[in-house]
Each structure stands twice: as C-alpha cells, then as structure tokens.
Amino acid sequence: MGVWGQRNGPSGRFGFEPRFCAAIAFVFAPVDGGHCPPYGSLPSAILNKVSNSTPMPRVAIAGAGPTGATLALMLARRGIPVTLIEAARDFQRQFRGEGLMPSGLDALHQMGLDSLLVSVPHRPLSAWEFWLSDRLLFRAEEPMGADHPCTLVAQPPLLSALVQLAQARPEFEWISGVGVKDLLWNNQRVAGVVLTDGRTIEADLVVGADGRALAIRQRAELTLTTQPKSIDVLWFKLPAPPGYEADNRFCTVVKGGRVFSLFH
C-alpha cells in the first residue's frame, strides 16, 4: 500500500505520468520553438530538427526514468544512435509515483507499448474516495468517462522492460551505475557528456532527464523558473488493510488540519 501525506493545500496530481516533453529538457535543440509536440510525433520532431546532419547524429540521454527510457527506445526504433546513462546500477529503489492517468496510458498506446504494460505488474484503480474526518463525502467510480481507468504500475519492472526493448536495437547503448558529471564543450556548443568514471560520450544532442535536480541543466547554466511550494509530501508504504485487494480505491482523508491518501 502506498501512502502519502500533505500540508498546506490540496494536491493537483497523483503518481507519475509520462508527459514526456514536459519532463524532458531539450537542452540544446528545442523542438518547435520549445513547444511540446504530440507524444507520437516526438521522434519525428527530433528527426526533422537534425535531418540535415551527416552521418546520423548521436543522442545522449542522462537519466533512465520513464522519460529517458521511453525516449531512448523511440529514438533507437527510428534508427538514431542513442546512449542512455543511468547513475543507479538497477531500478530496485523507491519511486515516488506509481499511477498512470488515462493520458499516460494513451501515450503508451500511441507509442505502440500496450503489450508492454500487460507484461509488467499493474492494478487498475476502482474508485476515488474523499473523507472528511470520519465521514465519507463521496465516491467516484473509475474510469470516470475515460476509455481506461487510472492504473497503478510498478516502475522498476516497467523501466526494465523499456530498456530491454531498446537493447534489442543496434542503435542503443546502455550505461548504468555511472552518472553524468559534466558537459563536453566544443566552440561554445555542447558536444557530449563527461561521466563520473572519467569516460566521455560524444553526442550531437544531449537530453537531461535526470530528475528534479537536473545536473544537465545546472552544468549548462540554464535558468530554472520555480513556483512557490504549496504542499509538502511524505511518501511511504505500509501493509495493506483488509478490503483493498478487492476494492483498490484511492482514498483521501482530511482530518485535524492535515491530508493523507492511501491506495493499494
């Protein structure tokens, strides 16, 4: 069971959702003036941006989360050489999000990855409940007008499956257990990355998908505009109480000036 608590206002989002362009920093080759193309057109947008380069340009991606792993797979499928770099040795670690909203499920469908979702552990949500102290205010049944219900997906097997698919492509290179330390520069242009073990990876395009800290953005000295924090979230797991196995609802409780939510 996943549990998170919050303070200072309601939550706007739950879980993770592969809103790829929003999460990807197209650090050195913005597409369409920096606007996000549709999910399915993302590789085409990059291809169009670099189509005049010979030989085929090489891409380096820092971070193998949902954004980095999926982008690497899409590029490799289009024949673009891509190196995916992940600082962790494996995906067996704590993740803050496990929910795919309907738009996230649609993104996987547009990329032809429906079968991938079936192959990894997942559980659809049955409903959303909202409690005020000890009183149930309402319950909304999934999928609430969408084609598919919000689905909980275990991130470690999902990311592993994405990388395994990419590894079947000769254009794909996988580097794990080594992080990105710095950027390579050539005539005031980024030409690749420097890894923590001293190796250098040359690339025509560097993508930062390495989490909220984004070392790539920091090394490029790109200004990040932040918004005031309205909530503090504490995420942890407990044994699931009886009833959640059969009725996997997302339950939000407001009590004593605090908010917490739980789901299985």
Side-chain angles (χ1 to χ4, degrees), residues 144-190:
M144 295 194 296
D147 293 333
H148 304 283
C150 176
T151 302
L152 304 178
V153 182
Q155 282 204 53
L158 176 64
L159 297 177
S160 296
L162 287 168
V163 171
Q164 288 175 9
L165 282 176
Q167 286 178 314
R169 306 290 308 188
E171 301 87 356
F172 178 79
E173 180 184 12
W174 169 238
I175 298 177
S176 63
V178 182
V180 173
K181 180 174 67 175
D182 208 342
L183 296 171
L184 280 177
W185 295 86
N186 183 16
N187 294 327
Q188 298 184 330
R189 290 182 60 86
V190 170

Side-chain angles (χ1 to χ4, degrees), residues 76-236:
R77 283 180 167 179
R78 293 297 187 96
I80 300 176
V82 55
T83 300
L84 181 59
I85 306 160
E86 169 56 46
R89 294 187 179 276
D90 55 49
F91 297 116
Q92 300 306 315
R93 60 186 189 273
Q94 181 92 6
F95 289 90
R96 283 183 292 268
E98 294 181 345
L100 275 173
M101 297 299 183
S103 59
L105 295 170
D106 182 60
L108 292 177
H109 172 71
Q110 291 186 45
M111 293 182 289
L113 296 176
D114 296 291
S115 59
L116 180 69
L117 183 61
V118 174
S119 68
V120 301
H122 66 283
R123 301 181 306 279
L125 277 181
S126 57
W128 302 76
E129 290 185 351
F130 194 92
W131 292 72
L132 181 59
S133 295
D134 299 321
R135 182 168 61 93
L136 175 63
L137 293 185
F138 65 85
R139 175 184 169 108
E141 303 291 336
E142 280 283 350
M144 295 194 296
D147 293 333
H148 304 283
C150 176
T151 302
L152 304 178
V153 182
Q155 282 204 53
L158 176 64
L159 297 177
S160 296
L162 287 168
V163 171
Q164 288 175 9
L165 282 176
Q167 286 178 314
R169 306 290 308 188
E171 301 87 356
F172 178 79
E173 180 184 12
W174 169 238
I175 298 177
S176 63
V178 182
V180 173
K181 180 174 67 175
D182 208 342
L183 296 171
L184 280 177
W185 295 86
N186 183 16
N187 294 327
Q188 298 184 330
R189 290 182 60 86
V190 170
V193 296
V194 181
L195 305 184
T196 53
D197 63 2
R199 282 183 290 170
T200 59
I201 305 295
E202 295 184 357
D204 302 279
L205 173 67
V206 172
V207 178
D210 47 349
R212 290 174 172 82
L214 269 180
I216 293 293
R217 180 189 287 126
Q218 295 173 6
R219 299 299 183 270
E221 299 182 355
L222 298 178
T223 302
L224 176 64
T225 302
T226 60
Q227 296 179 341
K229 296 180 180 179
S230 59
I231 62 174
D232 297 316
V233 176
L234 175 63
W235 176 282
F236 57 95

